[in-house]
Amino acid sequence: MSSPWNLYLMAAIYIFSGLMHFIKPKLYLRVMPRYLPNHKALVYLSGVAEILLGIGLCFVTLRAFSIYAIILMLAIFLMVHFYMLSGEKASTGIPKWILILRIPLQFGLMYWAWVYL
């Protein structure tokens, strides 16, 4: 069974996003909720997770696991999106309407992964 090109696009997006955690870690450190410990370790860990799960999408034997893990990861990342709505400092200057739109986008990304199960 061949996979559609947009599955590989999704994989590329997660791999790229994961790499950005290492290239621009300060970007991710700025949006970490204060109540979470070890911000730097969590940024790098989430970057590794995104890279590995993106790669996993490309292999039939790993695809289902990667999809479930991506959906779980996106659900966990919702806490960052809600945290960014908590105040001006947490929003890092991003307009509130964009922060609000990111929440349904997160669910859209979950659905995009789900359709490949």
Side-chain angles (χ1 to χ4, degrees):
M1 175 178 128
S2 66
S3 298
W5 65 270
N6 46 353
L7 176 67
Y8 295 116
L9 173 64
M10 182 177 14
I13 289 169
Y14 285 108
I15 294 166
F16 175 77
S17 179
L19 289 171
M20 291 306 294
H21 284 70
F22 296 94
I23 296 168
K24 298 275 188 185
K26 288 182 183 178
L27 182 84
Y28 297 91
L29 288 168
R30 288 186 353 206
V31 301
M32 288 294 289
R34 288 185 298 244
Y35 54 82
L36 291 176
N38 303 320
H39 289 173
K40 198 171 199 174
L42 289 174
V43 166
Y44 291 137
L45 182 62
S46 60
V48 168
E50 288 189 42
I51 293 166
L52 292 176
L53 295 173
I55 292 169
L57 290 174
C58 299
F59 296 94
V60 174
T61 56
L62 297 173
R63 189 166 297 144
F65 172 83
S66 295
I67 290 169
Y68 284 118
I70 285 169
I71 292 168
L72 177 63
M73 178 181 69
L74 291 171
I76 292 168
F77 287 175
L78 277 171
M79 96 172 86
V80 172
H81 297 299
F82 284 115
Y83 170 75
M84 291 180 76
L85 285 167
S86 69
E88 187 145 340
K89 186 175 182 184
S91 74
T92 66
I94 298 171
K96 193 167 196 156
W97 67 271
I98 292 176
L99 296 175
I100 291 168
L101 282 178
R102 288 174 59 191
I103 293 168
L105 173 64
Q106 200 77 350
F107 287 102
L109 291 172
M110 289 179 199
Y111 177 75
W112 187 20
W114 180 263
V115 299
Y116 293 106
L117 286 173

